[in-house]
Amino acid sequence: MHVPGEPRVPVTIRDVASDAGVSVATVSRALSGNGHVGPATRDRIAEAARRLGYQPNDLARSLHGGATGTIAVLVPDITNPFFPELVAGIQAVANEQENLLLLCQTGEDPTTAVRELRHLRRKRVDGVVLVGGLPATDDLGAAVGDLPVVTVDRDAGWPASWSVRADHRGGGRMATEHLVELGHEQIAHIAGPAALTVAQERLAGHREALQASGIEPDESLVVHGDFGEAGGYDALRTLLRRRREFTAVFCSNDLAAVGALRALDEAGFRVPDDVSLVGFDDIHLARYLRPSLTTVRQPIHELGRRAATLLLEAAVGSRPEQHDVLDVELVRRDSTRPVRRGR
Amino acid sequence: MHVPGEPRVPVTIRDVASDAGVSVATVSRALSGNGHVGPATRDRIAEAARRLGYQPNDLARSLHGGATGTIAVLVPDITNPFFPELVAGIQAVANEQENLLLLCQTGEDPTTAVRELRHLRRKRVDGVVLVGGLPATDDLGAAVGDLPVVTVDRDAGWPASWSVRADHRGGGRMATEHLVELGHEQIAHIAGPAALTVAQERLAGHREALQASGIEPDESLVVHGDFGEAGGYDALRTLLRRRREFTAVFCSNDLAAVGALRALDEAGFRVPDDVSLVGFDDIHLARYLRPSLTTVRQPIHELGRRAATLLLEAAVGSRPEQHDVLDVELVRRDSTRPVRRGR
DNA sequence: CTGTTAGCGCCTTCAG
DNA sequence: CTGAAGGCGCTAACAG
């Protein structure tokens, strides 16, 4: 079956030109909109292009030196629900501006990131959104080179750069303040990987809130997870094994809270009756957990939109270096309640 | 700050050639590996390339007619956890073969898909993985043209094509058979969108199992959702409003089960004591729900791997048309139990 | 083994 | 307003 208008043999601008009885230059002008072309010829060319099923070759177009209309996003792990929501935001902006989006996964591994970055440069992408909590290294900066980069939740570290991030420290503070206000004093924290700055900042916020309330931070109530369900589950079991009392847990992200919830359940603790639980991120799932999860909401989609917007402007050189911090907000749901005294 | 080896001004093969004192052809051969080059010159060229921070321009390379080393995947909604797991599988294979992956979202909208496809063809991607449950249309076939396409969970419908899918009908049957074996006779079904073939097939399997057991399918126990948490939640409330007895619910996907679980909870039903619940997909989350979710496991990651493998082979013309169906498997967890008689 | 020479498909001066 | 010609960066014959 040959579908009309979708040729099996690539048709070039030359075919259109000869079909319309004009030169390639005229076709180029007519189709790209640059330069003036008589209305009559213009129509004739459009018609010929349509009939032949001509599709301009963007490779040749970009080769000339222009933009490629393609940006890339590097995320640690697309399987973590936080990232798809972020990517969706980036994608939305990219599409609005007729850009395509390349997806790369780094697993938070600097070596992989460097390799991907090199590949992307060879492909001449217009820019990259770099997501992840690892601090910037020289290697990374070198691999980036002159590529416009917007980082999300990550320290920049190289000269010209743009970044957008949420207020992780403030969020950590809010989560713990909320628990303190409910009367909790023994508050455990399931942190993220110690190497990630976002995890460090949320932890720092947690400690600040504790100290501000005159509660001495207890190191044995802090366990590091991996930002995944399994990590949260294991972390909570570690906590249990330590046999230190706690009436609330602040999880560094919602996914860890899912695992913690399960571990608490298996151990016979009920949320929020026996222990209160707070998450971070407010992924879609949070409101559907039982109990629904009190959490610190990041404007995930907006983070993505903002990053992509900055990037696309940076790529055309119309935007000086800029570092945005977006506010977070506590969402009170059913996983937290006032502490039950004297048990 | 100028990072050595990462030039601000694009360095071309010509720069390397003159720096190494050879012709561009030799540099091309030395760097791409095709054709023989003397070891001495080879080293000299490699050294020059490294020092100058030369990055081959893949646009020019591909313009010559070769592959672009880029494939694309079109998914309905990256925010649904099923798709990231699938995309991860595709990505894994793509990366192994030094390919980049373009991510597009269609929202199951044919018009959007057609637009994206056209864009992808202009970019000369080597192939496309088309994911989604909508039946193929002529429009889509036309937009695909001569682009190698592997469909996942979707009817092909155009001439040369490859597809991979899970056994949805068989899975639907397994889910319901499991419930029947547990003694359930009033089994509700929260289906997916009626327009999607995967939803239709799971529903068909459900009915088959019912009939095979001599249970008359009851249309009022079937509600269509949207494959999201909200859809599952609403669907279950609809079911409740109908005031028909049921002791078990088979949800067409895990995400809907999350919503159903919550709605049941709010209505005072306990899972699995009052009603048993079965999902479909076995996304990561399923095992972390409380109770953990009995579900029909699709080999999601493998579906992705298979699709990408087929595509990459199809793209180089080394693989004839092929349609794979992967097996699914029932995973028994804690959300199902024998029916409680005489309540 | 290496250099020279054509293009790949398109855009963009520069003339006409 | 339109055509002819050069070149983007690279690869692939074809000669030496």
PDB file of all heavy atoms in Angstrom, chain A residues 6 58 63 68 91 98 101-103 121-123 142 262 289-290, chain B residues 6 58 63 68 91 101-103 119 121-123 142 262 289-290:
ATOM      1  N   GLU A   6       2.946  10.457   1.109  1.00  0.00           N
ATOM      2  CA  GLU A   6       4.010  10.040   2.017  1.00  0.00           C
ATOM      3  C   GLU A   6       4.964   9.135   1.245  1.00  0.00           C
ATOM      4  O   GLU A   6       4.865   7.922   1.291  1.00  0.00           O
ATOM      5  CB  GLU A   6       3.421   9.308   3.227  1.00  0.00           C
ATOM      6  CG  GLU A   6       2.450  10.146   4.034  1.00  0.00           C
ATOM      7  CD  GLU A   6       3.120  11.308   4.727  1.00  0.00           C
ATOM      8  OE1 GLU A   6       4.351  11.285   4.879  1.00  0.00           O
ATOM      9  OE2 GLU A   6       2.406  12.238   5.110  1.00  0.00           O
ATOM     10  N   ASP A  58      15.474  18.551   8.391  1.00  0.00           N
ATOM     11  CA  ASP A  58      15.951  19.445   9.448  1.00  0.00           C
ATOM     12  C   ASP A  58      17.449  19.317   9.700  1.00  0.00           C
ATOM     13  O   ASP A  58      18.068  20.224  10.240  1.00  0.00           O
ATOM     14  CB  ASP A  58      15.191  19.180  10.750  1.00  0.00           C
ATOM     15  CG  ASP A  58      13.865  19.920  10.777  1.00  0.00           C
ATOM     16  OD1 ASP A  58      13.569  20.622   9.796  1.00  0.00           O
ATOM     17  OD2 ASP A  58      13.129  19.797  11.774  1.00  0.00           O
ATOM     18  N   LEU A  63      22.338  22.147   9.882  1.00  0.00           N
ATOM     19  CA  LEU A  63      23.755  22.094   9.532  1.00  0.00           C
ATOM     20  C   LEU A  63      24.255  23.481   9.171  1.00  0.00           C
ATOM     21  O   LEU A  63      25.388  23.856   9.456  1.00  0.00           O
ATOM     22  CB  LEU A  63      23.959  21.154   8.348  1.00  0.00           C
ATOM     23  CG  LEU A  63      25.400  21.025   7.858  1.00  0.00           C
ATOM     24  CD1 LEU A  63      26.289  20.527   8.991  1.00  0.00           C
ATOM     25  CD2 LEU A  63      25.482  20.090   6.673  1.00  0.00           C
ATOM     26  N   THR A  68      18.794  23.512  16.336  1.00  0.00           N
ATOM     27  CA  THR A  68      18.300  22.210  15.936  1.00  0.00           C
ATOM     28  C   THR A  68      16.849  21.989  16.373  1.00  0.00           C
ATOM     29  O   THR A  68      16.216  21.030  15.968  1.00  0.00           O
ATOM     30  CB  THR A  68      19.155  21.085  16.545  1.00  0.00           C
ATOM     31  OG1 THR A  68      19.232  21.297  17.962  1.00  0.00           O
ATOM     32  CG2 THR A  68      20.535  21.077  15.959  1.00  0.00           C
ATOM     33  N   GLN A  91       8.420  19.279  28.860  1.00  0.00           N
ATOM     34  CA  GLN A  91       7.860  18.884  27.580  1.00  0.00           C
ATOM     35  C   GLN A  91       6.809  19.874  27.088  1.00  0.00           C
ATOM     36  O   GLN A  91       6.770  20.232  25.902  1.00  0.00           O
ATOM     37  CB  GLN A  91       7.213  17.503  27.755  1.00  0.00           C
ATOM     38  CG  GLN A  91       6.519  16.965  26.565  1.00  0.00           C
ATOM     39  CD  GLN A  91       7.383  15.959  25.843  1.00  0.00           C
ATOM     40  OE1 GLN A  91       7.886  16.244  24.779  1.00  0.00           O
ATOM     41  NE2 GLN A  91       7.581  14.801  26.439  1.00  0.00           N
ATOM     42  N   GLU A  98       7.690  24.318  19.575  1.00  0.00           N
ATOM     43  CA  GLU A  98       8.082  23.468  18.447  1.00  0.00           C
ATOM     44  C   GLU A  98       9.439  22.817  18.631  1.00  0.00           C
ATOM     45  O   GLU A  98      10.170  22.615  17.668  1.00  0.00           O
ATOM     46  CB  GLU A  98       8.106  24.297  17.153  1.00  0.00           C
ATOM     47  CG  GLU A  98       6.799  24.948  16.820  1.00  0.00           C
ATOM     48  CD  GLU A  98       5.997  24.125  15.832  1.00  0.00           C
ATOM     49  OE1 GLU A  98       6.486  23.881  14.732  1.00  0.00           O
ATOM     50  OE2 GLU A  98       4.881  23.701  16.206  1.00  0.00           O
ATOM     51  N   LEU A 101      12.126  16.935  22.580  1.00  0.00           N
ATOM     52  CA  LEU A 101      12.811  16.702  23.847  1.00  0.00           C
ATOM     53  C   LEU A 101      13.499  15.347  23.879  1.00  0.00           C
ATOM     54  O   LEU A 101      12.868  14.307  23.694  1.00  0.00           O
ATOM     55  CB  LEU A 101      11.811  16.793  25.007  1.00  0.00           C
ATOM     56  CG  LEU A 101      12.391  16.590  26.399  1.00  0.00           C
ATOM     57  CD1 LEU A 101      13.338  17.721  26.756  1.00  0.00           C
ATOM     58  CD2 LEU A 101      11.272  16.481  27.437  1.00  0.00           C
ATOM     59  N   LEU A 102      14.774  15.383  24.137  1.00  0.00           N
ATOM     60  CA  LEU A 102      15.574  14.171  24.247  1.00  0.00           C
ATOM     61  C   LEU A 102      15.643  13.785  25.723  1.00  0.00           C
ATOM     62  O   LEU A 102      15.949  14.621  26.567  1.00  0.00           O
ATOM     63  CB  LEU A 102      16.979  14.473  23.737  1.00  0.00           C
ATOM     64  CG  LEU A 102      17.673  13.766  22.592  1.00  0.00           C
ATOM     65  CD1 LEU A 102      16.766  12.913  21.752  1.00  0.00           C
ATOM     66  CD2 LEU A 102      18.424  14.771  21.767  1.00  0.00           C
ATOM     67  N   LEU A 103      15.376  12.524  26.023  1.00  0.00           N
ATOM     68  CA  LEU A 103      15.402  12.077  27.415  1.00  0.00           C
ATOM     69  C   LEU A 103      16.627  11.226  27.687  1.00  0.00           C
ATOM     70  O   LEU A 103      16.866  10.232  27.004  1.00  0.00           O
ATOM     71  CB  LEU A 103      14.141  11.258  27.707  1.00  0.00           C
ATOM     72  CG  LEU A 103      14.076  10.638  29.091  1.00  0.00           C
ATOM     73  CD1 LEU A 103      13.838  11.708  30.143  1.00  0.00           C
ATOM     74  CD2 LEU A 103      12.983   9.576  29.159  1.00  0.00           C
ATOM     75  N   ARG A 121      26.174  16.968  22.658  1.00  0.00           N
ATOM     76  CA  ARG A 121      26.870  18.047  21.968  1.00  0.00           C
ATOM     77  C   ARG A 121      27.147  17.675  20.528  1.00  0.00           C
ATOM     78  O   ARG A 121      27.076  18.502  19.630  1.00  0.00           O
ATOM     79  CB  ARG A 121      28.173  18.379  22.693  1.00  0.00           C
ATOM     80  CG  ARG A 121      27.894  18.972  24.068  1.00  0.00           C
ATOM     81  CD  ARG A 121      29.152  19.481  24.679  1.00  0.00           C
ATOM     82  NE  ARG A 121      29.798  20.450  23.809  1.00  0.00           N
ATOM     83  CZ  ARG A 121      30.986  20.955  24.033  1.00  0.00           C
ATOM     84  NH1 ARG A 121      31.666  20.562  25.090  1.00  0.00           N
ATOM     85  NH2 ARG A 121      31.489  21.824  23.200  1.00  0.00           N
ATOM     86  N   ARG A 122      27.482  16.411  20.322  1.00  0.00           N
ATOM     87  CA  ARG A 122      27.707  15.984  18.944  1.00  0.00           C
ATOM     88  C   ARG A 122      26.423  16.135  18.139  1.00  0.00           C
ATOM     89  O   ARG A 122      26.437  16.468  16.968  1.00  0.00           O
ATOM     90  CB  ARG A 122      28.180  14.526  18.925  1.00  0.00           C
ATOM     91  CG  ARG A 122      29.605  14.381  19.424  1.00  0.00           C
ATOM     92  CD  ARG A 122      30.212  13.075  18.993  1.00  0.00           C
ATOM     93  NE  ARG A 122      29.803  11.950  19.829  1.00  0.00           N
ATOM     94  CZ  ARG A 122      29.054  10.944  19.419  1.00  0.00           C
ATOM     95  NH1 ARG A 122      28.628  10.909  18.179  1.00  0.00           N
ATOM     96  NH2 ARG A 122      28.748   9.975  20.256  1.00  0.00           N
ATOM     97  N   LYS A 123      25.322  15.898  18.822  1.00  0.00           N
ATOM     98  CA  LYS A 123      24.028  16.012  18.149  1.00  0.00           C
ATOM     99  C   LYS A 123      23.600  17.469  18.014  1.00  0.00           C
ATOM    100  O   LYS A 123      22.559  17.768  17.431  1.00  0.00           O
ATOM    101  CB  LYS A 123      22.965  15.238  18.919  1.00  0.00           C
ATOM    102  CG  LYS A 123      23.000  13.741  18.718  1.00  0.00           C
ATOM    103  CD  LYS A 123      22.357  13.373  17.409  1.00  0.00           C
ATOM    104  CE  LYS A 123      22.255  11.865  17.201  1.00  0.00           C
ATOM    105  NZ  LYS A 123      23.417  11.092  17.636  1.00  0.00           N
ATOM    106  N   ALA A 142      33.176  20.744  32.181  1.00  0.00           N
ATOM    107  CA  ALA A 142      33.938  20.610  30.945  1.00  0.00           C
ATOM    108  C   ALA A 142      33.082  19.958  29.867  1.00  0.00           C
ATOM    109  O   ALA A 142      33.080  20.377  28.711  1.00  0.00           O
ATOM    110  CB  ALA A 142      35.188  19.778  31.195  1.00  0.00           C
ATOM    111  N   ARG A 262       4.430   1.397  54.804  1.00  0.00           N
ATOM    112  CA  ARG A 262       4.282  -0.057  54.752  1.00  0.00           C
ATOM    113  C   ARG A 262       5.033  -0.719  55.903  1.00  0.00           C
ATOM    114  O   ARG A 262       4.521  -1.630  56.565  1.00  0.00           O
ATOM    115  CB  ARG A 262       4.799  -0.567  53.424  1.00  0.00           C
ATOM    116  CG  ARG A 262       4.914  -2.038  53.390  1.00  0.00           C
ATOM    117  CD  ARG A 262       4.660  -2.663  52.046  1.00  0.00           C
ATOM    118  NE  ARG A 262       4.392  -4.064  52.272  1.00  0.00           N
ATOM    119  CZ  ARG A 262       3.186  -4.570  52.328  1.00  0.00           C
ATOM    120  NH1 ARG A 262       2.136  -3.796  52.125  1.00  0.00           N
ATOM    121  NH2 ARG A 262       3.004  -5.841  52.594  1.00  0.00           N
ATOM    122  N   LEU A 289      -2.878   7.993  48.892  1.00  0.00           N
ATOM    123  CA  LEU A 289      -2.437   7.030  49.883  1.00  0.00           C
ATOM    124  C   LEU A 289      -3.473   6.986  50.994  1.00  0.00           C
ATOM    125  O   LEU A 289      -4.300   7.879  51.131  1.00  0.00           O
ATOM    126  CB  LEU A 289      -1.074   7.447  50.453  1.00  0.00           C
ATOM    127  CG  LEU A 289       0.094   7.370  49.474  1.00  0.00           C
ATOM    128  CD1 LEU A 289       1.355   7.928  50.127  1.00  0.00           C
ATOM    129  CD2 LEU A 289       0.317   5.935  49.030  1.00  0.00           C
ATOM    130  N   ARG A 290      -3.436   5.923  51.774  1.00  0.00           N
ATOM    131  CA  ARG A 290      -4.305   5.856  52.933  1.00  0.00           C
ATOM    132  C   ARG A 290      -3.453   5.688  54.164  1.00  0.00           C
ATOM    133  O   ARG A 290      -2.754   4.672  54.266  1.00  0.00           O
ATOM    134  CB  ARG A 290      -5.274   4.686  52.788  1.00  0.00           C
ATOM    135  CG  ARG A 290      -6.261   4.908  51.680  1.00  0.00           C
ATOM    136  CD  ARG A 290      -6.866   3.606  51.269  1.00  0.00           C
ATOM    137  NE  ARG A 290      -5.845   2.594  51.144  1.00  0.00           N
ATOM    138  CZ  ARG A 290      -5.890   1.415  51.766  1.00  0.00           C
ATOM    139  NH1 ARG A 290      -6.901   1.117  52.541  1.00  0.00           N
ATOM    140  NH2 ARG A 290      -4.935   0.531  51.599  1.00  0.00           N
TER     141      ARG A 290
ATOM    142  N   GLU B   6      37.328  22.292  25.713  1.00  0.00           N
ATOM    143  CA  GLU B   6      35.921  22.505  25.379  1.00  0.00           C
ATOM    144  C   GLU B   6      35.782  23.888  24.768  1.00  0.00           C
ATOM    145  O   GLU B   6      35.447  24.851  25.435  1.00  0.00           O
ATOM    146  CB  GLU B   6      35.027  22.380  26.625  1.00  0.00           C
ATOM    147  CG  GLU B   6      35.139  21.043  27.305  1.00  0.00           C
ATOM    148  CD  GLU B   6      34.613  19.896  26.449  1.00  0.00           C
ATOM    149  OE1 GLU B   6      33.824  20.161  25.503  1.00  0.00           O
ATOM    150  OE2 GLU B   6      34.968  18.751  26.727  1.00  0.00           O
ATOM    151  N   ASP B  58      27.335  15.496  14.360  1.00  0.00           N
ATOM    152  CA  ASP B  58      26.502  14.382  13.911  1.00  0.00           C
ATOM    153  C   ASP B  58      25.484  14.798  12.862  1.00  0.00           C
ATOM    154  O   ASP B  58      24.984  13.963  12.109  1.00  0.00           O
ATOM    155  CB  ASP B  58      25.775  13.753  15.104  1.00  0.00           C
ATOM    156  CG  ASP B  58      26.663  12.753  15.829  1.00  0.00           C
ATOM    157  OD1 ASP B  58      27.806  12.564  15.380  1.00  0.00           O
ATOM    158  OD2 ASP B  58      26.214  12.168  16.821  1.00  0.00           O
ATOM    159  N   LEU B  63      23.599  13.756   7.626  1.00  0.00           N
ATOM    160  CA  LEU B  63      23.122  14.378   6.393  1.00  0.00           C
ATOM    161  C   LEU B  63      23.554  13.546   5.198  1.00  0.00           C
ATOM    162  O   LEU B  63      22.847  13.431   4.211  1.00  0.00           O
ATOM    163  CB  LEU B  63      23.695  15.792   6.260  1.00  0.00           C
ATOM    164  CG  LEU B  63      23.296  16.531   4.990  1.00  0.00           C
ATOM    165  CD1 LEU B  63      21.783  16.645   4.908  1.00  0.00           C
ATOM    166  CD2 LEU B  63      23.950  17.893   4.957  1.00  0.00           C
ATOM    167  N   THR B  68      20.646   8.516  12.051  1.00  0.00           N
ATOM    168  CA  THR B  68      20.852   9.649  12.941  1.00  0.00           C
ATOM    169  C   THR B  68      21.205   9.189  14.353  1.00  0.00           C
ATOM    170  O   THR B  68      21.564   9.993  15.200  1.00  0.00           O
ATOM    171  CB  THR B  68      19.598  10.527  13.027  1.00  0.00           C
ATOM    172  OG1 THR B  68      18.470   9.693  13.345  1.00  0.00           O
ATOM    173  CG2 THR B  68      19.343  11.222  11.703  1.00  0.00           C
ATOM    174  N   GLN B  91      14.876   2.858  26.727  1.00  0.00           N
ATOM    175  CA  GLN B  91      16.085   3.660  26.914  1.00  0.00           C
ATOM    176  C   GLN B  91      17.313   2.777  27.107  1.00  0.00           C
ATOM    177  O   GLN B  91      18.381   3.044  26.547  1.00  0.00           O
ATOM    178  CB  GLN B  91      15.883   4.527  28.170  1.00  0.00           C
ATOM    179  CG  GLN B  91      17.041   5.349  28.577  1.00  0.00           C
ATOM    180  CD  GLN B  91      16.863   6.777  28.137  1.00  0.00           C
ATOM    181  OE1 GLN B  91      17.527   7.228  27.229  1.00  0.00           O
ATOM    182  NE2 GLN B  91      15.967   7.492  28.783  1.00  0.00           N
ATOM    183  N   LEU B 101      17.259   8.963  22.747  1.00  0.00           N
ATOM    184  CA  LEU B 101      15.819   8.725  22.744  1.00  0.00           C
ATOM    185  C   LEU B 101      15.042  10.027  22.870  1.00  0.00           C
ATOM    186  O   LEU B 101      15.205  10.790  23.824  1.00  0.00           O
ATOM    187  CB  LEU B 101      15.439   7.792  23.896  1.00  0.00           C
ATOM    188  CG  LEU B 101      13.969   7.440  24.014  1.00  0.00           C
ATOM    189  CD1 LEU B 101      13.517   6.597  22.836  1.00  0.00           C
ATOM    190  CD2 LEU B 101      13.696   6.710  25.321  1.00  0.00           C
ATOM    191  N   LEU B 102      14.173  10.243  21.917  1.00  0.00           N
ATOM    192  CA  LEU B 102      13.312  11.421  21.917  1.00  0.00           C
ATOM    193  C   LEU B 102      11.981  11.039  22.554  1.00  0.00           C
ATOM    194  O   LEU B 102      11.391  10.020  22.193  1.00  0.00           O
ATOM    195  CB  LEU B 102      13.073  11.827  20.475  1.00  0.00           C
ATOM    196  CG  LEU B 102      13.407  13.178  19.863  1.00  0.00           C
ATOM    197  CD1 LEU B 102      14.304  14.028  20.708  1.00  0.00           C
ATOM    198  CD2 LEU B 102      13.978  12.971  18.479  1.00  0.00           C
ATOM    199  N   LEU B 103      11.527  11.842  23.497  1.00  0.00           N
ATOM    200  CA  LEU B 103      10.276  11.528  24.173  1.00  0.00           C
ATOM    201  C   LEU B 103       9.156  12.455  23.712  1.00  0.00           C
ATOM    202  O   LEU B 103       9.277  13.678  23.784  1.00  0.00           O
ATOM    203  CB  LEU B 103      10.448  11.682  25.686  1.00  0.00           C
ATOM    204  CG  LEU B 103       9.205  11.477  26.527  1.00  0.00           C
ATOM    205  CD1 LEU B 103       8.797  10.018  26.563  1.00  0.00           C
ATOM    206  CD2 LEU B 103       9.424  12.003  27.941  1.00  0.00           C
ATOM    207  N   HIS B 119       6.925  15.891  12.688  1.00  0.00           N
ATOM    208  CA  HIS B 119       8.110  16.566  13.204  1.00  0.00           C
ATOM    209  C   HIS B 119       9.292  15.598  13.275  1.00  0.00           C
ATOM    210  O   HIS B 119      10.415  15.918  12.899  1.00  0.00           O
ATOM    211  CB  HIS B 119       7.799  17.139  14.581  1.00  0.00           C
ATOM    212  CG  HIS B 119       8.757  18.202  15.013  1.00  0.00           C
ATOM    213  ND1 HIS B 119       8.518  19.028  16.076  1.00  0.00           N
ATOM    214  CD2 HIS B 119       9.966  18.551  14.539  1.00  0.00           C
ATOM    215  CE1 HIS B 119       9.543  19.851  16.223  1.00  0.00           C
ATOM    216  NE2 HIS B 119      10.424  19.582  15.312  1.00  0.00           N
ATOM    217  N   ARG B 121       9.801  12.987  11.531  1.00  0.00           N
ATOM    218  CA  ARG B 121      10.301  12.632  10.214  1.00  0.00           C
ATOM    219  C   ARG B 121      11.201  13.736   9.671  1.00  0.00           C
ATOM    220  O   ARG B 121      12.203  13.468   9.011  1.00  0.00           O
ATOM    221  CB  ARG B 121       9.137  12.391   9.267  1.00  0.00           C
ATOM    222  CG  ARG B 121       8.336  11.160   9.675  1.00  0.00           C
ATOM    223  CD  ARG B 121       7.329  10.819   8.624  1.00  0.00           C
ATOM    224  NE  ARG B 121       7.960  10.624   7.344  1.00  0.00           N
ATOM    225  CZ  ARG B 121       7.309  10.460   6.212  1.00  0.00           C
ATOM    226  NH1 ARG B 121       5.985  10.475   6.218  1.00  0.00           N
ATOM    227  NH2 ARG B 121       7.937  10.282   5.095  1.00  0.00           N
ATOM    228  N   ARG B 122      10.835  14.956   9.944  1.00  0.00           N
ATOM    229  CA  ARG B 122      11.701  16.049   9.491  1.00  0.00           C
ATOM    230  C   ARG B 122      13.058  15.943  10.158  1.00  0.00           C
ATOM    231  O   ARG B 122      14.080  16.260   9.569  1.00  0.00           O
ATOM    232  CB  ARG B 122      11.058  17.395   9.831  1.00  0.00           C
ATOM    233  CG  ARG B 122       9.855  17.707   8.939  1.00  0.00           C
ATOM    234  CD  ARG B 122       9.540  19.174   8.936  1.00  0.00           C
ATOM    235  NE  ARG B 122       8.756  19.585  10.094  1.00  0.00           N
ATOM    236  CZ  ARG B 122       9.192  20.381  11.046  1.00  0.00           C
ATOM    237  NH1 ARG B 122      10.402  20.874  10.984  1.00  0.00           N
ATOM    238  NH2 ARG B 122       8.407  20.707  12.049  1.00  0.00           N
ATOM    239  N   LYS B 123      13.041  15.493  11.388  1.00  0.00           N
ATOM    240  CA  LYS B 123      14.294  15.349  12.125  1.00  0.00           C
ATOM    241  C   LYS B 123      15.035  14.091  11.719  1.00  0.00           C
ATOM    242  O   LYS B 123      16.131  13.832  12.194  1.00  0.00           O
ATOM    243  CB  LYS B 123      14.005  15.312  13.631  1.00  0.00           C
ATOM    244  CG  LYS B 123      13.704  16.659  14.254  1.00  0.00           C
ATOM    245  CD  LYS B 123      14.987  17.410  14.509  1.00  0.00           C
ATOM    246  CE  LYS B 123      14.769  18.731  15.234  1.00  0.00           C
ATOM    247  NZ  LYS B 123      13.605  19.483  14.810  1.00  0.00           N
ATOM    248  N   ALA B 142      -0.427   7.264   7.437  1.00  0.00           N
ATOM    249  CA  ALA B 142       0.121   8.205   6.467  1.00  0.00           C
ATOM    250  C   ALA B 142       1.250   9.018   7.095  1.00  0.00           C
ATOM    251  O   ALA B 142       2.295   9.232   6.486  1.00  0.00           O
ATOM    252  CB  ALA B 142      -0.965   9.135   5.963  1.00  0.00           C
ATOM    253  N   ARG B 262      -8.838   3.617  47.821  1.00  0.00           N
ATOM    254  CA  ARG B 262      -9.140   4.784  48.640  1.00  0.00           C
ATOM    255  C   ARG B 262     -10.649   4.981  48.780  1.00  0.00           C
ATOM    256  O   ARG B 262     -11.161   5.254  49.862  1.00  0.00           O
ATOM    257  CB  ARG B 262      -8.517   6.021  47.997  1.00  0.00           C
ATOM    258  CG  ARG B 262      -8.976   7.288  48.647  1.00  0.00           C
ATOM    259  CD  ARG B 262      -7.946   8.379  48.653  1.00  0.00           C
ATOM    260  NE  ARG B 262      -8.389   9.348  49.640  1.00  0.00           N
ATOM    261  CZ  ARG B 262      -7.942   9.372  50.874  1.00  0.00           C
ATOM    262  NH1 ARG B 262      -7.036   8.507  51.262  1.00  0.00           N
ATOM    263  NH2 ARG B 262      -8.400  10.255  51.727  1.00  0.00           N
ATOM    264  N   LEU B 289       1.678  -0.981  48.288  1.00  0.00           N
ATOM    265  CA  LEU B 289       0.375  -0.559  48.767  1.00  0.00           C
ATOM    266  C   LEU B 289       0.031  -1.375  50.008  1.00  0.00           C
ATOM    267  O   LEU B 289       0.605  -2.418  50.255  1.00  0.00           O
ATOM    268  CB  LEU B 289      -0.686  -0.795  47.682  1.00  0.00           C
ATOM    269  CG  LEU B 289      -0.570   0.079  46.441  1.00  0.00           C
ATOM    270  CD1 LEU B 289      -1.603  -0.324  45.408  1.00  0.00           C
ATOM    271  CD2 LEU B 289      -0.758   1.540  46.818  1.00  0.00           C
ATOM    272  N   ARG B 290      -0.924  -0.860  50.762  1.00  0.00           N
ATOM    273  CA  ARG B 290      -1.399  -1.622  51.913  1.00  0.00           C
ATOM    274  C   ARG B 290      -2.888  -1.839  51.759  1.00  0.00           C
ATOM    275  O   ARG B 290      -3.622  -0.855  51.735  1.00  0.00           O
ATOM    276  CB  ARG B 290      -1.102  -0.896  53.210  1.00  0.00           C
ATOM    277  CG  ARG B 290       0.379  -0.796  53.482  1.00  0.00           C
ATOM    278  CD  ARG B 290       0.633   0.280  54.476  1.00  0.00           C
ATOM    279  NE  ARG B 290      -0.107   1.489  54.112  1.00  0.00           N
ATOM    280  CZ  ARG B 290      -0.928   2.115  54.951  1.00  0.00           C
ATOM    281  NH1 ARG B 290      -1.117   1.685  56.163  1.00  0.00           N
ATOM    282  NH2 ARG B 290      -1.556   3.182  54.559  1.00  0.00           N
TER     283      ARG B 290
END
